[in-house]
Amino acid sequence: MSTRKSFLTAAASLPIAAAVPAAASTPAPTASPAMPTPKPTPKPPSDAAKGLAEIARAFDPNLTDKNIDDIAGGIDYNLSFGKRINPKGRALKNWDEPVTPFSVPE
C-alpha cells in the first residue's frame, strides 16, 4: 500500500468482502466452450531425405509410404540438429580445439 489512507480503506473493506456470498462472486459460465487451437501441419520431408529413406526399401521391401515418410521426417530432424545447437551458424576455425588438460604426477 502506498499510503496509510489506502491501507485503512483496504482493511475496512475486508469484512464487507467476506460477507458477500460465494455464489455472487463466481462468474457465470460462458455459453460457448473455448475453440480448440488448430494444430500446425507438419512440414513435409525434403526430397533429399525422401531419397535416403527410399534406400531403406532395399533392406525391407514391405515398408509402406507412411513408413518412408516417417523415416524421411526423422532424417530431416536429425539433419537440423546442427541448426538447433548452433543457431548463429558460427563455424569453428582451424585452430579451435578442445582444451587438453596436462598434468605431471608428483
Side-chain angles (χ1 to χ4, degrees):
M1 305 292 163
S2 61
T3 63
R4 184 182 303 176
K5 186 176 181 180
S6 62
F7 172 76
L8 292 174
T9 305
S13 64
L14 187 61
I16 297 169
V20 175
S25 64
T26 58
T30 58
S32 62
M35 296 296 293
T37 58
K39 293 183 180 178
T41 57
K43 186 176 127 182
S46 65
D47 292 335
K50 278 191 176 187
L52 286 172
E54 284 292 332
I55 296 172
R57 282 195 203 262
F59 299 102
D60 187 4
N62 297 327
L63 289 175
T64 63
D65 290 336
K66 170 79 170 105
N67 296 133
I68 295 297
D69 286 340
D70 290 343
I71 293 170
I75 291 171
D76 274 341
Y77 180 78
N78 289 336
L79 289 176
S80 68
F81 185 69
K83 293 175 189 170
R84 291 191 306 271
I85 62 171
N86 187 9
K88 294 183 180 178
R90 293 188 180 138
L92 293 175
K93 303 293 182 200
N94 221 8
W95 54 84
D96 290 335
E97 60 183 32
V99 176
T100 306
F102 178 77
S103 64
V104 177
E106 292 181 26

